[in-house]
């Protein structure tokens, strides 16, 4: 059953400051994005008529259209012929701390789900062996998962773990996050070394994440250590940037 239209001007108390140097369209887009992020505009909601919204805020229609288009470009809104402009999903903003994607999605109200693609033992490559501090060619556990939110793919996760760390059951991996399973097994996660990048999607990645080949993807590589300093996990992940971002807090040196 379709969800009712949402009139963003009344309950959201949208307003613009004409004395501000910030462009009016950007002020409006930021307020709409915050409403989506905080759940005031839920997935499936329809924005009101552009002309009516422009009239209530005293803005020109091109200004309102520019604000909405910026959110369409971010993947937060979509224009559907015969339906209108509809909220898709909020972007998950992940803080740079030692947390799992599953927990972050759940905290953001994104209804995470997992599809396990591979759960097996493989010989460690030179890169994996160096990360986990094991001999090259020795057995390591390889897990490949597709993480979904609201039924849509968000990230492809490939993780390697030392042998015998704990029993990795596919059913458990599809029911919850890897870090939760590790903690339940008595492993105390202490710190991680992580790098973040970006590159174009390969044909295989594009198919997995329902993107076009060559589309930009966020990448993350992480080695996680327990409280004894032992490497307990090495992961290489790819994310859809329209649905996911990393947040930094930067401090100024005195």
């Amino acid at each position: 059953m379709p969800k009712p239209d949402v009139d963003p001007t009344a309950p959201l108390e949208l307003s613009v400051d004409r004395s501000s140097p910030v462009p009016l369209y950007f002020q409006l887009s930021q307020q709409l994005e915050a409403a989506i992020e905080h759940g005031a505009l839920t997935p499936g909601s329809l924005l009101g008529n552009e002309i009516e919204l422009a009239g209530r805020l005293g803005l020109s229609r091109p200004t309102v259209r520019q604000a909405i288009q910026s959110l369409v470009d971010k993947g937060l809104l979509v224009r559907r012929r015969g339906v209108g402009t509809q909220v898709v999903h909020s972007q998950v903003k992940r803080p740079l701390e030692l947390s799992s994607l599953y927990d972050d999605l759940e905290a953001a109200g994104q209804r995470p789900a997992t599809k396990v693609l591979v759960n097996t033992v493989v010989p460690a490559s030179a890169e994996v062996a160096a990360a986990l501090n094991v001999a090259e060619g020795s057995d390591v556990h390889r897990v490949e998962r597709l993480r979904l939110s609201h039924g849509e793919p968000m990230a492809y996760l490939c993780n390697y773990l030392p042998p015998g760390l704990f029993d990795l059951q596919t059913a458990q991996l599809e029911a919850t996050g890897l870090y939760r399973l590790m903690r339940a097994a008595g492993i105390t996660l202490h710190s991680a070394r992580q790098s973040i990048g970006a590159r174009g999607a390969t044909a295989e990645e594009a198919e997995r994440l329902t993107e076009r080949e060559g589309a930009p993807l966020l990448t993350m590589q992480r080695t996680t250590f327990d409280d004894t300093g032992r490497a307990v996990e090495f992961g290489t992940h790819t994310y859809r940037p329209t649905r996911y971002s990393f947040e930094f807090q930067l401090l100024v040196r005195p």
Side-chain angles (χ1 to χ4, degrees):
M1 185 175 180
K3 295 187 178 183
D5 287 9
V6 174
D7 177 359
T9 57
L12 300 178
E13 299 181 354
L14 298 177
S15 63
V16 293
D17 181 1
R18 296 181 183 279
S19 65
S20 170
V22 178
L24 297 178
Y25 88 88
F26 189 75
Q27 292 183 44
L28 177 57
S29 70
Q30 288 291 94
Q31 292 177 67
L32 289 172
E33 183 172 353
I36 295 170
E37 181 180 341
H38 297 136
L41 289 174
T42 57
S45 299
L46 295 174
L47 290 184
N49 183 281
E50 284 183 9
I51 298 176
E52 184 181 1
L53 180 56
R56 292 194 184 188
L57 293 175
L59 298 173
S60 68
R61 189 176 179 187
T63 297
V64 172
R65 185 182 298 116
Q66 187 176 7
I68 291 175
Q69 185 60 46
S70 70
L71 299 183
V72 171
D73 294 340
K74 285 186 175 183
L76 302 181
L77 300 176
V78 63
R79 298 182 188 273
R80 302 189 190 281
R81 181 171 296 180
V83 176
T85 304
Q86 193 170 29
V87 177
V88 185
H89 300 297
S90 61
Q91 185 184 55
V92 174
K93 297 181 178 180
R94 186 176 189 178
L96 280 182
E97 58 187 31
L98 189 51
S99 63
S100 75
L101 175 56
Y102 189 95
D103 291 340
D104 293 336
L105 289 171
E106 196 169 66
Q110 294 284 317
R111 298 203 305 270
T114 305
K115 181 178 180 182
V116 175
L117 306 176
V118 173
N119 182 9
T120 189
V121 173
V122 298
S125 66
E127 180 184 36
V128 172
L132 295 180
N133 195 28
V134 299
E136 184 176 353
S138 64
D139 287 347
V140 292
H141 212 109
R142 177 184 174 107
V143 177
E144 296 180 38
R145 294 165 295 159
L146 191 64
R147 183 79 82 216
L148 303 100
S149 171
H150 295 286
E152 292 184 10
M154 172 175 281
Y156 164 71
L157 317 173
C158 180
N159 298 83
Y160 297 89
L161 294 89
L165 191 64
F166 69 102
D167 191 21
L168 281 171
Q169 299 292 329
T170 296
Q172 291 179 315
L173 288 166
E174 291 191 336
T176 189
L178 178 60
Y179 281 5
R180 285 189 185 181
L181 292 176
M182 295 174 79
R183 292 187 179 101
I187 300 166
T188 302
L189 304 176
H190 178 267
S191 61
R193 184 170 59 245
Q194 178 171 289
S195 61
I196 297 168
R199 58 174 172 76
T202 65
E204 186 178 14
E205 288 170 336
E207 184 177 0
R208 282 194 195 114
L209 296 173
T210 64
E211 292 282 352
R212 60 176 175 78
E213 185 175 354
L217 297 178
L218 282 172
T219 64
M220 188 269 281
Q221 190 175 88
R222 174 191 281 181
T223 304
T224 306
F225 305 90
D226 68 7
D227 55 349
T228 70
R230 174 183 57 163
V232 293
E233 175 248 350
F234 172 64
T236 59
H237 303 169
T238 53
Y239 305 87
R240 297 174 67 185
T242 56
R243 300 288 310 281
Y244 194 87
S245 66
F246 291 98
E247 285 197 331
F248 299 76
Q249 183 175 6
L250 304 178
L251 301 178
V252 178
R253 286 186 176 180

